[in-house]
Amino acid sequence: TDMSIIPDLAIDEESNDDLTEWTLTLREDATFNNIDQTVMAEDVVSTFETMDDPDTGAAGMDEFGGIESVEVVDDFRVRFNLVDPTADYPAYLSRGFGNVLPKQVIEDDFESISNEDYGSGPFNIVDYTIGETFQMEANENYYLTDGEGNDLPLIDTLYLDVLPDANTRTTSIQNGSID
C-alpha cells in the first residue's frame, strides 16, 4: 500500500558506497515451475546476459538501467555491476521484464521458452492461446505466504483474457463479461 518493494525471489539487497554495485540474496526455497530445479544465482546471470545480448532481442532490457555486468557471488547471491550509480536499483529489478529462466534451458533448449513455463511464481501456465487467453493454476511449490501465514496464491485457477483494444476492454467491463 505504501508502494515499497516487497521481497520475493530476492530477499535482501546491499550496495557499495557509490551505488554502482548491488548484491542481491536469493531465497533458497524457490524452484522453477515444471522442472525440479532450485533458482540459483547462475540462473539470474545467464538470464540477464541473454537479455542483454543484441542477438536475443529481449524486450525491456532498457528497463534495468545500464548494466555493465552481472556476476555470481555464490549459489544464492548475485551482483549487478552498473554503469552509473543508481540509488533505487532493486526497484528497477522489480519491473515486469525481469523473469529469471533456468541456465540449463537457456543453454540447451532456448527455443522452448516460447511455449514452456519456466517461472518460479505463484501460478503455472496450463493452457494459452497467444494473444487471446491464458489459464493458470496455483503453483503448489510457491514459497510466499500472506500476513496470516496462509500459503499463496489464495485461488486455485486464474483465467486471463487478452484484450488489446481499449474499447473492447471497457465494453467487457461495463457489460460484466470480465472483471
Side-chain angles (χ1 to χ4, degrees):
T1 57
D2 65 356
M3 300 303 289
S4 63
I5 297 171
I6 298 171
D8 190 339
L9 183 58
I11 55 172
D12 192 29
E13 77 270 344
E14 180 181 328
S15 70
N16 64 352
D17 290 340
D18 70 0
L19 303 172
T20 58
E21 294 178 2
W22 282 89
T23 302
L24 305 179
T25 302
L26 306 177
R27 57 185 325 111
E28 296 184 22
D29 58 349
T31 58
F32 289 107
N33 299 348
N34 300 323
I35 62 173
D36 186 25
Q37 181 182 322
T38 301
V39 180
M40 303 191 61
E42 67 181 13
D43 300 309
V44 176
V45 171
S46 184
T47 297
F48 277 85
E49 286 177 347
T50 301
M51 288 193 311
D52 198 34
D53 182 345
D55 293 334
T56 306
M61 191 59 192
D62 58 335
E63 294 286 323
F64 301 113
I67 297 175
E68 187 173 288
S69 65
V70 185
E71 62 185 283
V72 171
V73 176
D74 60 34
D75 286 349
F76 295 101
R77 289 188 307 149
V78 61
R79 179 172 299 122
F80 287 81
N81 300 299
L82 307 178
V83 174
D84 296 308
T86 308
D88 58 349
Y89 197 69
Y92 283 51
L93 295 173
S94 69
R95 296 174 180 167
F97 291 103
N99 301 324
V100 176
L101 296 170
K103 178 182 178 183
Q104 75 179 54
V105 170
I106 291 171
E107 292 177 351
D108 300 336
D109 193 16
F110 189 69
E111 296 301 316
S112 72
I113 69 168
S114 65
N115 56 15
E116 294 290 329
D117 179 14
Y118 295 110
S120 61
F123 293 97
N124 297 316
I125 299 172
V126 295
D127 191 27
Y128 67 96
T129 302
I130 295 175
E132 293 181 25
T133 61
F134 285 88
Q135 178 184 345
M136 295 168 268
E137 291 182 356
N139 176 1
E140 294 177 4
N141 299 317
Y142 190 56
Y143 42 81
L144 290 182
T145 58
D146 68 9
E148 286 93 44
N150 298 306
D151 289 338
L152 294 175
L154 299 176
I155 59 174
D156 296 326
T157 305
L158 178 67
Y159 298 94
L160 174 68
D161 290 326
V162 179
L163 303 173
D165 178 68
N167 290 329
T168 302
R169 285 193 303 270
T170 302
T171 301
S172 297
I173 291 169
Q174 290 173 336
N175 71 22
S177 64
I178 64 170
D179 57 22

